[in-house]
Amino acid sequence: MKPTLVEQIIASHAKRERVSHGELVTAQVDRVYLQDGNSPTIAMLFEKHGFTHVFDRDRVAIFFDHSVIAPDKHIAARLREAERLADRLGVRVFRAGEGISHVVALEEGWYEPGTIVVGSDSHTCTGGSTQCLALGMGASDCAAAMVTGQTWLRVPDTVWMDVRGRPGPATRARDVVFYALRQNGQEPFLYKSVEWTGSWFDELGLDSCASIANLGVEMGAKCTFLPPGPGRPEGMKPIEPPDACDPRVIVVDVEGLPPMVSKPHSPGNAVPLDECEGFKINYVFIGTCTNGRLEDIAEAAAVLGDAKVRAGVQCLVTPGSRRVYIEAMERGYIAKLMQAGAIISPPGCSACLGTQGSIPASGDRVLSTMNRNFLGRMGNSEADIYLASPLVAAHTAIRGELPKSSELLQ
């Protein structure tokens, strides 16, 4: 069988003709980026081992996205430490307010097809939307990659997600991932390279593809790849997947698939929206590296339009990047959202991690467009987090409860 996408990319960066899954290899990296949450740990590693340089200052960057507005003096001190590291190394800095690392990296064209990008955040896998081998790694591996321009990894085996049919008109790209998790669990994807395939992807823009790639880590995958298509970089030509009877091929029948909602406390705890119809919601959060892009803000603004956020509901909207924020303002989306009663926060990770506001109250039910709803994820283990698309979230903000799927396109 011809090499899979992940094998092709690793072989080219390991200066090998071919690699096989299961091999441990050392490969060159094309870029490394850090985020402010763990760059202080990396700074300590540099000091401990006497590192004073990086392999290429133009290919290493630090983002300030997890704590855009420092909530206390301890986080403020960590941010200063990260700033000092960036200054010592002379690397590029994306200041607080410029956006989420993965969103900005995609905008900047860093996820080039066939390259290897290492990031210090698990959702670096977003780069798979353009057939980049984008790997989230821990502090030690990131520090080593920064200094040497290399990383080590075990070549993952590949599974193919063969999407068949067309989902319902109110169903979004992220819903397909959560449906696949509901059907299969994480076991088939653990430390695998996931190659998505199917004619449905020809209908998706880059923003939707980025949402699917972003959720690769929730699947348990090592990496994930979307096929090239209209409006996306040309990319590498994937090999034909094996026959459907091959155990490495997982068929996902999405014909007529309804919108999905992930109930607490796992992304894979997904059910059709109508099973949660009428659930009261106190707090709606639209944003993050999963769904904080322009098409997401546009959809929320279109739904809210001349409507109002229901009394007793907090609706927080966070653009994923400064570029998204500015374009959303120019197109009138931000004004519509604010007139409806939404709160707009600076570009960044915002409430997703729970290290800055707005923290949900104990007993709150939150509906969020983020990727995870683990217990305590948003900073309060006594709040329940549900996950859904921006379309569902915007309708929920108006109603104060989860709507029927039939109400979404009215």
Side-chain angles (χ1 to χ4, degrees), residues 264-266 372-385:
H265 298 284
S266 169
R372 293 175 181 165
N373 59 343
F374 304 147
L375 185 65
R377 173 68 183 179
M378 293 178 69
N380 187 347
S381 60
E382 296 179 357
D384 286 339
I385 304 169

Side-chain angles (χ1 to χ4, degrees), residues 64-65 68 96-100 318-322 325 345-350:
F64 289 81
D65 58 3
V68 173
E98 293 195 54
I100 306 169
T318 306
S321 73
R322 180 178 292 168
Y325 200 165
S345 64
C349 298
S350 190

Side-chain angles (χ1 to χ4, degrees), residues 10-223:
I10 293 174
S12 69
H13 285 72
K15 297 181 172 57
R16 298 260 301 272
E17 286 190 12
R18 184 159 187 157
V19 295
S20 300
H21 76 265
E23 281 191 85
L24 291 174
V25 300
T26 299
Q28 299 293 128
V29 301
D30 295 284
R31 288 188 182 274
V32 183
Y33 64 82
L34 316 179
Q35 46 95 342
D36 54 284
N38 50 29
S39 51
T41 303
I42 293 169
M44 288 188 285
L45 289 170
F46 266 69
E47 183 176 352
K48 176 180 178 180
H49 298 288
F51 299 146
T52 58
H53 70 283
V54 296
F55 79 101
D56 186 335
R57 288 186 297 179
D58 294 330
R59 291 182 173 271
V60 178
I62 297 179
F63 286 84
F64 289 81
D65 58 3
H66 277 57
S67 297
V68 173
I69 299 175
D72 57 48
K73 65 181 182 180
H74 306 292
I75 296 294
R78 287 175 62 83
L79 297 180
R80 292 292 177 265
E81 191 172 358
E83 289 170 356
R84 288 192 291 271
L85 173 66
D87 186 60
R88 288 198 303 271
L89 298 178
V91 299
R92 187 172 179 182
V93 173
F94 289 83
R95 300 176 62 188
E98 293 195 54
I100 306 169
S101 58
H102 321 302
V103 177
V104 176
L106 190 61
E107 294 174 346
E108 293 281 321
W110 288 2
Y111 297 136
E112 297 177 275
T115 61
I116 295 180
V117 172
V118 169
S120 69
D121 184 274
S122 61
H123 290 101
T124 304
C125 56
T126 304
S129 57
T130 55
Q131 298 190 326
C132 166
L133 177 52
L135 304 168
M137 292 189 171
S140 297
D141 287 321
C142 285
M146 290 168 68
V147 173
T148 67
Q150 296 181 321
T151 192
W152 72 274
L153 46 83
R154 177 164 57 88
V155 180
D157 200 359
T158 294
V159 295
W160 285 266
M161 299 293 286
D162 184 6
V163 178
R164 299 182 182 181
R166 295 291 181 276
T171 302
R172 298 296 176 256
R174 62 176 287 139
D175 295 319
V176 171
V177 182
F178 289 128
Y179 175 70
L181 266 175
R182 167 190 166 95
Q183 296 297 100
N184 300 282
Q186 285 189 325
E187 186 62 31
F189 311 116
L190 294 177
Y191 205 89
K192 297 292 199 316
S193 171
V194 176
E195 290 192 30
W196 291 87
T197 184
S199 59
W200 174 65
F201 290 96
D202 293 338
E203 303 173 11
L204 301 186
L206 182 56
D207 284 0
S208 291
C209 287
S211 290
I212 293 175
N214 176 269
L215 293 166
V217 67
E218 273 64 49
M219 297 173 70
K222 177 66 174 176
C223 55

Side-chain angles (χ1 to χ4, degrees), residues 323-335:
R323 187 180 302 181
V324 169
Y325 200 165
I326 290 171
E327 190 165 351
M329 285 195 294
E330 291 173 346
R331 296 189 182 196
Y333 303 153
I334 299 299

